Amino acid sequence: MISVSAVLYTTSIILILLGLYGALTRKNLIRTVISLDVIDLGVNIFLITIGYIKDGRAPIYVVGSGSLSDQAARMADPLPQSLVLTAIVIGFGVTAVALTLIMRLYEKRKTVEVSETRGLKW
Amino acid sequence: MVSPMILIALPLATAFLIVLIGSRVAARWLALAAVALLVGLAPFWFADILRNGPMSIVLADVLPPLGIAFGLDALSAGFVLLIAVSGLLVLLYSVPYIPHAGQFEGAKKAETRYYALFLLLMAGSFGLVMTKDIFNLFVFFEILCISSYILVAYSQEERSLEAGIKYMILGSIGSAFMLVAIGLSYRVAGSLAMNDIGLALAAAPHGYALLVAVLFTLGFGIEAAIFPLNTWLPDAHSSAPSSISAVLSGFVIEVALVVLVRIGISVFGTLMEPALGVLALAGVVVGELAALGQKELKRTLAFSSIGQVSIMLFAFSLGTQSGDWAGLGQLLMHTGAKSALFLVSGYFILRTGSHEIESYRGLARRMPAAAAFFSLAALSLVGMPPFFGFFTKFRIIEVAAAARSALGYAGIVVILFGTVIEAVYLFRIVRVLYGGAIEGARSDALVGIEAAAGADGATPFADGATQGALANAAGSLASAATPTRADLPALAWIAVAGFVALVLVGGFAFPWFDQALQPIAAALATL
Amino acid sequence: MRKVIGFLLIASFAFFIVSLVARDLWVDDPSQVRTLGQAAIGQTIPQSGAANTVTAIVVQFRGLDTLGEVTVLFLSALGVALLSGEFAGRGLSELFADDGGFILHYGTRLVLPLIALVGAYIVAHGHLSPGGGFPGGVLIATAVFAVLMTNAQQRLSTRLMAVIEGLAGLAFVGLGTLGLLGDKFSFLANVLPKGQLGYLFSAGIIPLIYAAVGTKVAAELSTLVTSLTGSDRDGGEDHGASSIPADTQGGAR
């Protein structure tokens, strides 16, 4: 029996590496930003997997469905979930600024290709 | 006593208020008032901590590790003081400078937003040095990074947009690595407080701890400009508005570096130190050599920042308290000298409309004060004897020799080599500033006399002007005479003078500064 | 060449990761929550009075992170507005230049109040059920987004949005400072009465903070969309149209 978290960890690492490959090799800046988002996605899956427990439930107390301590004993780890919430918002903020920068550069240059923008070679 | 939480709450609230009011004039005054208040409070916190020891702050009435471990110790209080003071000085410079920093649509609205962004950048830096929780560190790191991406691209010229994008792509990859490292740490430690993670990683399998350390260093090292991760720096620091270059080179990379070193020592043990030492030496060589080949003033200064930061990193990576002490001295010197250099070069660019060093020939004659400030800061950066830089570099070499390791001896050689190169390119700039006028004197005696009167201290470096420079002199003298674009009022010079004063006082009162740095160095190795 | 180098780099990185942590990661699923998660589950009700433990962590235990998170959003709205110069008549405005047809145009108006209502519900119940200020705020912003997309003449005042944003941000900091005034002397402390578990009016300052966050997120996202699409009422006159093509060609060469 393959463990659920092993599958999720593998998926997340593959996503991170795919995104990294894209970010390093793509010349189109829009694609680079998409690659960055793929990395972010992988990282978020990675973080949320850390909070996975076997047969866990959502970490929310429900009044009137069993004693609170019973509920507490079956909850998944809420901490990684809250970290992911923060990480998603931060990733969103970065993407918005990145796209605006690219749009602005496109206005000046009429291209979003790295190879045609001198300063962006690295 | 006011709670140090005001260091976070006040800049944030002021930034929100600036956007709410949406007026340029109000933005200036609010930002200046808020930062001035923090500058007024910072020494008291510092003094309080020296007297009573570290101050821990309980957030949300929840004790760590469940709550966020936060607090001031000697290191963070020292850095709070440094950030607040240089923030205030740069703000003073920004008020007259920023209206000239960008000609684009909506520049007036953008100026209002500049102050909000600047305050958020400061809040991010304050948070970074105060937090002892690894995820909170990430959040403040992001605030710092995103505000600097935006500020780098502020002028919205092609080169600054490019630099912003490049910085942002590398920065985002770095923060993804950091998040993975944070996840791995939480997985093994079950906690996000740095000291818990340190204990858990020490007990974890070696490979696991190594991966966490490497990922974290990769992530944070991008902002701290550690050698192979610093490709964004020359572009970003050179194409940002000069006030922002001064901030980025003046305290942002330093804060990132110190926080990285501190976490390296307290959380990862000695896992990364030897590698960082080698990378630091490579950074000195690469940074200084690259600076030598630059034609633009701000690019030269940016590459020089790579070299200087690497010198600090080398001192920190020696792993002794005296090494940390020496590194902090160098850091303080670099903040003063490099901020002054960038602010003055912003003025040069403003007046001449050119980034090229060659086009500044003979500027000293027209702007004696600016050239003098520039030369003083440059002399200190190189490490000329009566200045701050001499003592700090000397101290680092002393410490490296005392380490009695191969890395230490290699470090001495590399730092001396770097100093020679630094002297070559910085004196070349100083010579251009003064030299053009003196070359011109051969064709016009009157101008020469004026220049010699204005050149005072820097004349020794000017008399070695080469024949090649002679050929350029006449042409550049003509270009130097083009009408000036804009001038900066006295307010901006207060800022420059403040940074230069730090460098001068640091040299003449070195023992006193040294004394003040000692508790800070002691706090670096503890959490 | 670039691709080969990239591939080798990634492959070696993958090898590095797998060889270092594979044994640790590929183990059986844990049946026990980690220390801090356990503490959070245990402390949620006594310390915060919320039913949703994630909310208790996000808003109270790690409230400073959330303040930082809101600040990051604020930053990006600020940055987009600064860098776009509001893209008045430029940017993506071409895409927003038509009404999307009769059905979309009026259909949006029909569902608009419902979307906003659901958004407000999610914000208000953040301490009891999944959701909270961030998803709720985003939902409210999508209502704004839909209107902008299906109504070519519709404009939004970024000035008004900035005022709302600023006030909500000040409210968050102000609620945090409330904790400094009380006897607990702790930033972001939950000083208000906690009420009874499971009720709308419970969990002290948590719903208030989430309301501020929801308002702020909604205003910020609306500003973002407005700046990017050039639908700002306060923006400059129209300029020559130029926009990024929806599909940027190339790259796959």
Side-chain angles (χ1 to χ4, degrees), chain B residues 173-454:
Chain B
I173 295 177
S175 34
F177 282 157
M178 251 177 93
L179 265 182
V180 175
I182 290 168
L184 285 169
S185 314
Y186 175 69
R187 195 173 169 279
V188 69
S191 168
L192 290 167
M194 286 180 195
N195 42 13
D196 293 344
I197 292 173
L199 293 176
L201 281 181
H206 181 72
Y208 196 95
L210 184 67
L211 182 68
V212 175
V214 168
L215 284 175
F216 194 86
T217 311
L218 275 178
F220 221 84
I222 287 179
E223 191 68 14
I226 291 174
F227 161 57
L229 307 171
N230 53 19
T231 51
W232 59 271
L233 189 143
D235 296 323
H237 287 207
S238 64
S239 53
S242 293
S243 52
I244 295 307
S245 311
V247 169
L248 290 180
S249 267
F251 66 75
V252 171
I253 28 175
E254 280 85 349
V255 162
L257 184 75
V258 162
V259 171
L260 177 65
V261 167
R262 169 179 234 192
I263 292 171
I265 296 173
S266 323
V267 178
F268 306 130
T270 50
L271 231 44
M272 298 300 293
E273 263 170 21
L276 285 182
V278 175
L279 289 180
L281 293 184
V284 176
V285 175
V286 172
E288 302 291 12
L289 281 179
L292 191 60
Q294 298 305 313
K295 289 199 170 60
E296 288 182 11
L297 178 57
K298 279 178 76 179
R299 273 188 92 80
T300 313
L301 295 178
F303 275 109
S304 141
S305 288
I306 293 182
Q308 291 280 338
V309 168
S310 300
I311 293 178
M312 294 167 212
L313 180 62
F314 168 74
F316 291 137
S317 70
L318 287 170
T320 56
Q321 193 179 317
S322 47
D324 297 343
W325 193 359
L328 284 172
Q330 177 76 8
L331 191 153
L332 186 61
M333 188 282 292
H334 184 244
T335 301
K338 198 47 81 55
S339 304
L341 287 175
F342 267 121
L343 293 185
V344 175
S345 41
Y347 178 67
F348 287 159
I349 293 170
L350 203 65
R351 292 295 295 268
T352 62
S354 164
H355 291 263
E356 307 281 325
I357 295 170
E358 275 307 312
S359 59
Y360 304 143
R361 193 162 288 279
L363 272 192
R365 203 163 47 88
R366 287 191 299 147
M367 312 165 193
F373 281 139
F374 190 93
S375 314
L376 288 175
L379 287 175
S380 173
L381 201 62
V382 172
M384 290 301 275
F387 297 102
F388 201 177
F390 169 73
F391 298 101
T392 58
K393 260 190 191 160
F394 190 75
R395 177 57 81 70
I396 289 181
I397 290 173
E398 215 172 46
V399 171
R404 298 196 179 283
S405 63
L407 185 69
Y409 294 127
I412 297 175
V413 175
V414 169
I415 289 177
L416 288 177
F417 170 73
T419 303
V420 171
I421 310 242
E422 220 162 38
V424 171
Y425 66 74
L426 283 172
F427 290 162
R428 192 182 61 194
I429 300 172
V430 172
R431 207 172 60 196
V432 167
L433 287 178
Y434 287 96
I438 285 173
E439 294 302 331
R442 299 186 184 183
S443 59
D444 186 345
L446 199 65
V447 172
I449 293 163
E450 264 179 41

Side-chain angles (χ1 to χ4, degrees), chain B residues 462-493:
Chain B
D463 56 26
T466 56
Q467 288 300 314
L470 183 68
N472 284 332
S476 37
L477 202 63
S479 75
T482 48
T484 53
R485 302 195 170 196
D487 206 350
L488 293 180
L491 196 59
W493 295 107

